[in-house]
């Protein structure tokens, strides 16, 4: 594992991602500039060469630390000396980074084509199902089918944006009245596009697992080479709001999440889940961490219900952000990585064409 010679710039999402077949992905206010600044600051204090748009960035001004993910923004970072771009943004097939990848720039993040493809919950669930991985029963609901009233629905169900972002827009629906109110609102807000994802509600325990890509890592002071995707310790979620884990922008994850203890982690169910999540990571061609949310049914059987190609990467590197641990950062602490160590290990998996 080495970051020698790396000069890294972090980019954030400057514009909404384009619609794909009428499906929209909601944009986070600020476009991940906050977590991008967390990353940049943490790496800088670790003596990593971090390129920033401001020559002397203010610790609490996010945009002093990160470049927009536009062609001009990325070019600006490279002009200032960056040879590696950390893609703390939403990716899609013709994202501006593709141009620079073809010119030999190194990146931290997913391949833009694969990230855009597997941001689609339906397509990803079908891929996992086709490879005999457990996913909850689900179906698509178009605006036309909803307004025609032709869809037969069995409650309880969970409604989700097809290209979602965390738990934003996700709702548990228990009856016909809630169904009409929730789905009408989802279509009327025009944030998610013309089709909604409906999934069987799982009432059991929820855990989230960060899958790391193959590569060389520094763990407990020793260099370890991982030939295949591998999992950080699982984090359990609790204090759900109406059956759904609240969006981390509303409730900090340190208030509703905890790493499994050794006994919980040693269970056959969790160990099997690690194998399944690592296999899912391989299937989607991961090149950077992904996060998979899993939940048990009424019989205690776990299902992979949400695969996130861009896990949240906030962290408590700046004093005014002391409570901003991400689920991945919580998991990493159990293997001896603080937030800066986690980021250094992720940075070391940079890649190029």
């Amino acid at each position: 594992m080495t970051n020698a010679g790396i000069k890294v710039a972090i980019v954030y999402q400057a514009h909404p991602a384009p619609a794909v077949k009428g499906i929209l992905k909601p944009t986070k206010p600020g476009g991940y500039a906050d977590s991008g600044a967390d990353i940049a600051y943490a790496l800088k204090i670790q003596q990593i060469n971090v390129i920033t748009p401001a020559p002397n960035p203010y610790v609490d001004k996010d945009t002093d630390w990160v470049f927009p993910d536009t062609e001009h923004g990325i070019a600006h970072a490279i002009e200032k000396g960056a040879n590696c771009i950390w893609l703390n943004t939403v990716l899609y097939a013709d994202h501006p980074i593709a141009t620079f990848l073809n010119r030999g720039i190194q990146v931290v993040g997913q391949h833009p084509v694969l990230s855009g493809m597997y941001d689609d919950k339906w397509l990803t669930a079908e891929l996992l199902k086709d490879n005999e991985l457990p996913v909850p029963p689900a179906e698509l609901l178009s605006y036309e089918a909803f307004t025609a009233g032709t869809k037969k629905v069995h409650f309880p169900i969970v409604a989700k944006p097809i290209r979602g972002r965390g738990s934003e827009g996700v709702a548990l629906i228990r009856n016909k009245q809630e169904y009409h109110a929730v789905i009408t609102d989802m279509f009327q807000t025009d944030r998610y596009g013309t089709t909604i994802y409906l999934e069987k509600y799982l009432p059991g325990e929820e855990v989230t697992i960060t899958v790391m890509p193959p590569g060389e890592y520094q763990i407990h002071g020793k260099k370890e080479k991982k030939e295949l995707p591998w999992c950080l310790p699982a984090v359990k979620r609790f204090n759900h709001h109406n059956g759904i884990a609240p969006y981390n922008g509303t409730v900090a994850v340190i208030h509703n999440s905890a790493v499994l203890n050794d006994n919980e982690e040693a269970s056959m169910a969790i160990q099997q889940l690690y194998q399944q999540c690592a296999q899912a990571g391989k299937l989607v061609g991961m090149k950077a961490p992904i996060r998979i949310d899993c939940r048990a049914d009424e019989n205690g059987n776990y299902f992979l219900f949400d695969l996130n190609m861009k896990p949240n990467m906030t962290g408590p590197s700046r004093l005014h952000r002391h409570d901003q641990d991400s689920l991945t950062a919580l998991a990493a602490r159990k293997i001896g990585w603080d937030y800066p160590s986690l980021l250094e290990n992720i940075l070391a998996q940079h890649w190029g064409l």
Side-chain angles (χ1 to χ4, degrees), residues 190-251:
D190 203 29
R191 281 177 63 75
Y192 313 119
T194 54
T195 307
I196 299 294
Y197 190 86
L198 300 179
E199 181 180 84
K200 179 186 175 184
Y201 174 64
L202 302 171
E205 182 167 76
E206 181 174 338
V207 297
T208 191
I209 295 173
T210 298
V211 186
M212 302 293 286
E216 275 196 3
Y217 294 87
Q218 198 76 24
I219 303 174
H220 297 305
K222 293 180 182 176
K223 194 179 282 186
E224 282 194 32
K225 188 167 180 64
K226 304 283 191 179
E227 303 289 350
L228 297 168
W230 60 286
C231 298
L232 293 180
V235 175
K236 61 183 168 185
R237 313 297 310 278
F238 44 85
N239 293 345
H240 289 62
H241 290 180
N242 194 25
I244 307 296
Y247 169 52
N248 70 286
T250 307
V251 179

Side-chain angles (χ1 to χ4, degrees), residues 165-171 206 236-257 291 293 295 305 312 327:
R165 190 174 61 77
S167 54
E168 186 194 340
V170 178
E206 181 174 338
K236 61 183 168 185
R237 313 297 310 278
F238 44 85
N239 293 345
H240 289 62
H241 290 180
N242 194 25
I244 307 296
Y247 169 52
N248 70 286
T250 307
V251 179
V253 298
I254 60 169
H255 300 308
N256 60 18
S257 312
R291 202 189 78 228
D293 300 324
R295 198 156 173 171
F305 74 83
N312 183 30
L327 292 164

Side-chain angles (χ1 to χ4, degrees), residues 44-240:
K44 198 171 182 70
I45 61 174
Q46 292 295 97
Q47 308 302 311
I48 299 292
N49 195 338
V50 178
I51 307 297
T52 56
N56 297 295
Y58 284 102
V59 68
D60 57 354
K61 189 177 178 186
D62 295 342
T63 51
D64 276 8
W65 294 92
V66 291
F67 294 85
D69 66 342
T70 58
E71 189 166 347
H72 180 265
I74 297 167
H76 184 207
I78 294 169
E79 283 163 17
K80 292 197 75 172
N83 58 14
C84 180
I85 304 295
W86 187 307
L87 300 166
N88 190 49
T89 185
V90 172
L91 296 170
Y92 43 88
D94 54 356
H95 188 279
I97 193 61
T99 302
F100 297 93
L101 268 171
N102 290 330
R103 296 176 190 168
I105 199 77
Q106 296 284 299
V107 297
V108 174
Q110 309 298 350
H111 192 291
V113 171
L114 295 178
S115 187
M117 191 183 302
Y118 297 121
D119 237 358
D120 182 314
K121 291 188 193 306
W122 180 259
L123 190 151
T124 304
E126 290 294 289
L127 173 73
L128 301 186
K129 190 164 64 175
D130 288 347
N131 284 274
E132 299 180 353
L133 291 173
V135 295
E139 56 187 332
L140 296 178
L141 175 67
S142 69
Y143 178 71
E144 292 78 12
F146 175 64
T147 52
T150 54
K151 177 73 83 175
K152 287 187 177 177
V153 182
H154 301 282
F155 305 106
I157 55 166
V158 176
K160 300 178 175 182
I162 290 178
R163 291 181 175 270
R165 190 174 61 77
S167 54
E168 186 194 340
V170 178
L172 170 61
I173 300 172
R174 295 186 176 88
N175 54 50
K176 207 165 188 177
Q177 188 178 355
E178 289 181 358
Y179 170 73
H180 282 289
V182 167
I183 303 299
T184 298
D185 182 63
M186 288 182 78
F187 281 129
Q188 283 182 347
T189 56
D190 203 29
R191 281 177 63 75
Y192 313 119
T194 54
T195 307
I196 299 294
Y197 190 86
L198 300 179
E199 181 180 84
K200 179 186 175 184
Y201 174 64
L202 302 171
E205 182 167 76
E206 181 174 338
V207 297
T208 191
I209 295 173
T210 298
V211 186
M212 302 293 286
E216 275 196 3
Y217 294 87
Q218 198 76 24
I219 303 174
H220 297 305
K222 293 180 182 176
K223 194 179 282 186
E224 282 194 32
K225 188 167 180 64
K226 304 283 191 179
E227 303 289 350
L228 297 168
W230 60 286
C231 298
L232 293 180
V235 175
K236 61 183 168 185
R237 313 297 310 278
F238 44 85
N239 293 345
H240 289 62

